[in-house]
């Protein structure tokens, strides 16, 4: 009988892999693949330590504590997409500049910030992040892996790639007993979030609204309840369910880690 049960489970999960549905256990089918290479431009901000890139429009806070380190970039608004670009992963390589490092090394970065438009500058002379330009303002240590810092700005080829993360999705809590604001970090797969729901141990699923960057909010009384989350990727449309992420005595200011993540 155990062998028959295992065989049934295998068939069940294989079927899900075909139709791309999430399971009650919190798994979903990997559907996001690397995109074709495209042309853009890149600059850098901050110093060699990357300290100047902490925080940012995605709300990840200290990027070392969040697991992103200095392999990060601020995106022009075309890529940032009102915050839905937060957490997305890219590969970049410097091209068509004598200040590119030989061999066109490829570096990987995560989107953690917005590079805002600078309408006081021409889009081709200082206003590098003005729409409709596709631009990466990289943390200086990341930029220096593909080009010499004195280049200032270089053409790059880039592509979206799946995010590979260790451990589960992280949920950082803010708010109060009547309003829960959650920053979502360490997301694998597409790296981004399109929709999010929260479920208390005494409630049904409650849809959360997009606040800003990588944060979602629910106006609900959730204190004293264990919390579960359901999130859907903006890019791949995968959905995972993370049950009982936070205990009933959860507190704002703390970060809780799920046991599941996207592929």
């Amino acid at each position: 009988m155990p062998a028959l049960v295992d065989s049934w489970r295998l068939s069940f999960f294989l079927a899900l892999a075909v139709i791309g549905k999430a399971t009650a256990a919190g798994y979903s089918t990997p559907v996001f693949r690397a995109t074709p290479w495209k042309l853009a431009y890149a600059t850098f901000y901050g110093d060699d330590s990357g300290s100047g890139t902490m925080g940012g429009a995605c709300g990840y806070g200290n990027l070392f504590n969040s697991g992103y380190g200095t392999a990060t970039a601020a995106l022009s608004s075309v890529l940032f997409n009102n915050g839905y670009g937060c957490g997305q992963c890219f590969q970049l390589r410097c091209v068509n500049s004598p200040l590119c490092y030989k061999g066109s090394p490829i570096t990987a970065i995560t989107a953690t910030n917005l590079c805002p438009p600078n309408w006081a500058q021409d889009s081709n002379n200082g206003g590098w992040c003005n729409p409709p330009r596709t631009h990466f303002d990289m943390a200086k240590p990341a930029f220096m892996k593909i080009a010499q810092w004195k280049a200032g700005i270089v053409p790059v080829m880039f592509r979206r790639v799946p995010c590979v993360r260790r451990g589960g999705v992280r949920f950082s809590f803010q708010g109060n007993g009547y309003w829960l604001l959650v920053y979502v970090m360490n997301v694998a797969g597409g790296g981004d979030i399109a929709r999010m729901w929260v479920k208390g141990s005494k409630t049904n699923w409650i849809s959360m609204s997009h606040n800003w960057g990588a944060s979602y909010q629910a106006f609900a009384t959730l204190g004293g309840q264990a919390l579960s989350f359901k999130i859907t990727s903006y890019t791949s449309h995968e959905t995972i369910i993370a049950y009982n992420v936070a205990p009933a005595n959860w507190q704002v200011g703390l970060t809780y880690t799920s046991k599941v993540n996207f592929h």
Side-chain angles (χ1 to χ4, degrees):
M1 182 61 69
L4 292 177
V5 172
D6 289 342
S7 177
W8 178 86
R9 286 177 177 170
L10 178 60
S11 298
F12 177 72
F13 284 109
L14 287 175
L16 289 180
V18 173
I19 63 176
K21 300 294 184 180
T23 76
Y27 296 93
S28 63
T29 307
V31 294
F32 178 60
R33 298 289 183 269
T35 64
W37 291 93
K38 296 180 181 180
L39 180 65
Y41 285 86
T43 49
F44 68 86
Y45 72 117
D47 57 19
D48 292 348
S49 70
S51 59
T53 63
M54 298 297 105
C58 291
Y60 294 141
N62 186 305
L63 298 178
F64 293 107
N65 294 341
S66 301
Y68 299 115
T70 58
T72 63
L75 306 182
S76 62
S77 55
V78 171
L79 292 170
F80 189 73
N81 191 21
N82 294 318
Y84 291 109
C86 288
Q88 292 180 352
C89 296
F90 299 84
Q91 288 181 336
L92 291 88
R93 56 187 176 88
C94 181
V95 296
N96 302 327
S97 170
L99 297 178
C100 296
Y101 287 132
K102 293 182 179 179
S104 297
I106 295 173
T107 191
I109 58 96
T110 298
T112 59
N113 202 355
L114 167 67
C115 180
N118 181 2
W119 299 115
Q121 300 290 333
D122 184 270
S123 296
N124 295 310
N125 186 23
W128 308 121
C129 291
N130 295 349
R133 289 181 63 96
T134 303
H135 192 89
F136 296 86
D137 198 16
M138 305 171 68
K140 187 176 180 181
F143 183 89
M144 291 180 63
K145 290 183 177 180
I146 60 173
Q148 299 178 43
W149 68 269
K150 63 182 179 181
I153 179 171
V154 294
V156 294
M157 297 299 292
F158 78 96
R159 65 176 180 174
R160 281 280 312 280
V161 294
C163 298
V164 179
R165 305 292 184 204
R166 294 183 177 180
V169 179
R170 300 175 187 173
F171 302 87
S172 181
F173 288 11
Q174 296 295 331
N176 52 49
Y178 308 96
W179 170 61
L180 179 64
L181 179 66
V182 181
Y183 297 90
V184 189
M185 302 172 288
N186 201 51
V187 180
D192 46 24
I193 301 296
R195 298 185 66 190
M196 184 169 168
W197 299 258
V198 61
K199 184 183 184 305
S201 51
K202 301 176 183 178
T203 73
N204 294 319
W205 286 106
I206 299 170
S207 179
M208 304 181 74
S209 59
H210 184 215
N211 184 287
W212 61 280
S215 67
Y216 284 76
Q217 62 189 359
F219 294 91
T221 303
L222 295 167
Q225 301 181 59
L227 301 183
S228 302
F229 294 95
K230 179 166 59 174
I231 56 178
T232 297
S233 168
Y234 186 88
T235 300
S236 68
H237 310 297
E238 298 174 79
T239 296
I240 60 172
I241 301 174
Y243 288 108
N244 299 318
V245 173
N249 62 345
W250 60 266
Q251 300 178 41
V252 297
L254 297 182
T255 298
Y256 300 90
T257 303
S258 72
K259 294 181 180 180
V260 296
N261 208 328
F262 292 102
H263 293 275

